[in-house]
Amino acid sequence: MEAQEAWNAAVRQLEMILDRASFDTWVRPTQFLHYNAPEKTFFIGAPNTYARDMLQFRLYRNVQRVLSDLFGSDVDLSFELSRREKSAAPAEMEEMPLFRLLAQQEPEAANTEAPTTLGPVARVPELPEGDLNPRYIFDRFITNRSNQMVHEAARAVAEFPATVYNPLTIYGGVGLGKTHILQAIAHACTRRKLRTIYVPSEVFMNDLIYAIRQRTTAMFREKYRSVDVLLVDDVQFIAGKETTQEEFFHTFNALVAFNKQIVLASDRHPRELTQLEDRLRSRFQGGLVADVQPPELETRMAILHMWAQERSVAVSEDVIAMVAQRAPASIREMEGVFNQIVAQMRLHGSNGVSMARAEATLDRFHRPRERYTLEQIIDLVARKQGLTVDELVGKKRTEKINRARQIAMFIVREMTEYSLPQIGEAFGGRSHTTVLHGCNKIAEEVEADPVLAARIQSLRQSLTRHS
Ligand code: ADP
Ligand code: MG
């Protein structure tokens, strides 16, 4: 077989072996330059230094094996910049910190890396504190017909990152378990000592803006590109944000090329993210796209049973069935209803919750959440707790104020759709981690502390009354 022909055939085979994003990004744009017979070396052109290094360091083994098979003898490969493209490589491509890292690695470690395994990382930057909710694990995720596919895909990705579906893109309506699934994957991977980052896309964006402002973009890149598993939640928020999309596109390519797993969640199918750049949209759809559907009645009942058991309360079957049928489709809202019912049981004793009372709770919850603004809630919660708004969102940290602040954050989170960074901003520019910590703390305590539960219940009630 002619050298040129062999190369073309190798490309066609690689298309079947590599995942689509890797192939499209690195292999498709290559071109055959020449073959040096005495040295048995193929010279292949790559469009830019990034792609060249990728092929040379990470994909070499696969490419070499396929090509040697087709050519009928062991050959070497040398990747060079295609002359045509030499000056066209964007300066930013030359700057990829990852390749400086890579260049520092022992050649052996880099060369023998089969693309289907998770490669070692030369230097390990600090990862952010884990923002994972301990309750969002696979064991607490109830499966059924409507979410079986997404559940199995998530399990497979957690077990074999970067080998089955990459990326795994999960989409579906609010409160149907997307974040739960993403974090369950993150928990599983973290437990196996894989370097894992879970971020809401807004946090990725904030991080990027901060890095640009502080001129620490190299660190930013190192952080996001040195992971084994990157999970980005609510990617719909980056649609229309140009700089973020651009950076995310490069992060995405770098990770996929290094055979690192990417998992995304979105509130709609990627093709419906109209503000998203085409090249990102096609990346998002390059692996498996799976949707979460509202669960069926039996599943909702199973989830309610699980919650009752976890909170050690005996909720009657009637009430469970009624809540499962009538609570909003969103499981998050169903949990809100359920928590209020549990709070009442703790207040009045478990016999005190009649169907009528439970139904009244449900009716109150049916009001749309959007009617409360952050300011309204902060204002009311401050007043009810005997503080001024300034105290509640200010810098002061007495025990009383801290507590009131956490309660306020908890209520905002429960009764609105504001994101963690937005809530942090409203509470005097606090970080999303602080908000999450506060909310989790109250959520935990409220289950064991009837006085706190009653206090929160009464705040909720005055809020619904005032709006
Ligand atoms: P989304 O990210 O899709 O808006 P979340 O993942 O935040 O939704 O889920 C909302 C709540 O519902 C969480 O408390 C989550 O644990 C719970 N939940 C959703 N689906 C399930 C399920 N199948 N089994 C158990 N809990 C679920
Ligand atoms: Mg979510």
Side-chain angles (χ1 to χ4, degrees):
M1 194 186 276
E2 283 281 309
Q4 164 98 56
E5 229 178 284
W7 175 249
N8 294 344
V11 169
R12 285 193 297 276
Q13 279 213 9
L14 287 165
E15 182 164 15
M16 291 183 280
I17 294 170
L18 299 173
D19 60 87
R20 199 161 98 201
S22 293
F23 177 81
D24 282 348
T25 317
W26 316 117
V27 181
R28 193 191 291 285
T30 56
Q31 62 186 115
F32 174 81
L33 299 177
H34 63 273
Y35 175 66
N36 179 326
E39 292 183 10
K40 290 190 144 194
T41 300
F42 277 78
F43 288 81
I44 303 298
N48 53 54
T49 50
Y50 195 26
R52 178 198 63 195
D53 292 348
M54 204 55 238
L55 289 158
Q56 193 73 48
F57 286 112
R58 288 286 154 153
L59 300 177
Y60 190 90
R61 259 296 267 307
N62 270 17
V63 179
Q64 195 261 351
R65 206 183 302 137
V66 167
L67 184 61
S68 298
D69 272 348
L70 287 164
F71 199 57
S73 75
D74 257 355
V75 293
D76 284 329
L77 282 143
S78 178
F79 293 99
E80 304 191 343
L81 291 185
S82 314
R83 213 165 300 122
R84 172 169 59 83
E85 307 270 0
K86 233 172 200 159
S87 55
E92 162 245 0
M93 282 286 196
E94 313 276 350
E95 282 268 39
M96 297 292 168
L98 218 50
F99 288 95
R100 289 205 294 276
L101 287 182
L102 204 60
Q104 289 161 12
Q105 268 182 38
E106 317 88 286
E108 215 202 321
N111 276 337
T112 54
E113 200 56 57
T116 44
T117 60
L118 298 166
V121 179
R123 194 147 46 88
V124 180
E126 285 292 304
L127 288 191
E129 285 288 301
D131 286 344
L132 300 181
N133 184 328
R135 287 155 46 89
Y136 291 175
I137 52 176
F138 280 123
D139 285 349
R140 289 190 69 262
F141 190 80
I142 303 216
T143 58
N144 55 36
R145 287 190 305 281
S146 62
N147 61 18
Q148 200 157 3
M149 158 154 154
V150 71
H151 176 253
E152 273 166 23
R155 286 261 188 192
V157 160
E159 196 163 341
F160 307 106
T163 47
V164 269
Y165 313 112
N166 206 10
L168 170 61
T169 303
I170 297 169
Y171 75 97
V174 173
L176 297 182
K178 299 182 298 296
T179 297
H180 189 136
I181 296 172
L182 252 60
Q183 295 202 6
I185 299 173
H187 277 296
C189 293
T190 307
R191 209 172 310 123
R192 301 213 335 267
K193 301 267 187 288
L194 294 174
R195 294 170 50 72
T196 307
I197 291 186
Y198 163 87
V199 272
S201 73
E202 292 162 289
V203 174
F204 180 89
M205 191 151 63
N206 286 352
D207 251 19
L208 175 64
I209 293 166
Y210 179 83
I212 292 170
R213 221 180 274 148
Q214 304 288 316
R215 300 176 191 284
T216 52
T217 46
M219 262 167 65
F220 171 89
R221 289 179 173 176
E222 233 169 84
K223 169 172 145 191
Y224 283 104
R225 295 178 193 189
S226 68
V227 295
D228 298 315
V229 183
L230 176 65
L231 306 106
V232 184
D233 206 347
D234 293 320
V235 287
Q236 71 272 8
F237 289 128
I238 68 169
K241 313 273 185 347
E242 262 174 53
T243 312
T244 309
Q245 291 194 52
E246 171 84 18
E247 185 61 33
F248 191 62
F249 179 73
H250 291 302
T251 306
F252 190 105
N253 287 344
L255 288 174
V256 168
F258 279 74
N259 275 283
K260 307 303 189 186
Q261 178 70 46
I262 294 175
V263 184
L264 307 167
S266 164
D267 70 351
R268 61 209 99 144
H269 193 285
R271 73 171 167 259
E272 280 156 27
L273 294 171
T274 45
Q275 297 262 64
L276 200 68
E277 286 179 23
D278 288 341
R279 55 181 188 169
L280 259 187
R281 197 192 344 272
S282 79
R283 289 283 184 279
F284 287 5
Q285 301 182 73
L288 180 72
V289 180
D291 66 332
V292 286
Q293 291 287 340
E296 308 88 345
L297 185 64
E298 315 90 82
T299 316
R300 286 162 68 84
M301 291 180 60
I303 293 173
L304 288 161
H305 277 294
M306 175 177 78
W307 290 339
Q309 200 179 14
E310 285 172 352
R311 290 160 176 76
S312 308
V313 290
V315 184
S316 76
E317 281 302 315
D318 287 353
V319 170
I320 288 209
M322 193 270 296
V323 173
Q325 273 164 20
R326 293 201 31 214
S330 149
I331 310 290
R332 186 181 306 133
E333 293 196 50
M334 184 168 82
E335 187 163 24
V337 172
F338 183 77
N339 283 341
Q340 289 200 32
I341 291 173
V342 170
Q344 293 188 350
M345 290 176 65
R346 294 224 159 94
L347 218 57
H348 303 288
S350 35
N351 297 330
V353 179
S354 61
M355 274 294 271
R357 201 193 282 269
E359 284 188 305
T361 304
L362 199 60
D363 290 338
R364 258 203 315 283
F365 228 84
H366 264 304
R367 293 165 172 246
R369 333 177 100 208
E370 289 69 34
R371 58 165 70 216
Y372 316 114
T373 66
L374 253 167
E375 290 71 28
Q376 271 175 323
I377 297 184
I378 290 178
D379 186 61
L380 184 105
V381 174
R383 209 147 24 87
K384 286 275 162 190
Q385 303 197 97
L387 298 170
T388 66
V389 168
D390 285 347
E391 282 173 316
L392 195 64
V393 305
K395 290 268 172 290
K396 226 153 127 202
R397 301 181 48 96
T398 68
E399 201 172 313
K400 177 180 172 202
I401 294 180
N402 271 350
R403 184 84 176 157
R405 194 177 287 142
Q406 288 178 335
I407 291 174
M409 289 173 173
F410 174 82
I411 289 181
V412 171
R413 181 114 172 106
E414 189 188 69
M415 315 256 317
T416 72
E417 294 293 336
Y418 290 103
S419 70
L420 291 171
Q422 280 172 327
I423 299 173
E425 194 53 42
F427 281 85
R430 293 184 153 79
S431 75
H432 72 278
T433 323
T434 308
V435 179
L436 193 62
H437 171 76
C439 293
N440 285 344
K441 188 152 174 278
I442 299 296
E444 237 165 68
E445 286 179 26
V446 89
E447 282 178 25
D449 180 352
V451 178
L452 177 63
R455 188 168 155 198
I456 287 176
Q457 171 75 351
S458 110
L459 284 169
R460 279 193 203 108
Q461 273 169 1
S462 34
L463 198 64
T464 40
R465 235 176 281 126
H466 280 77
S467 55

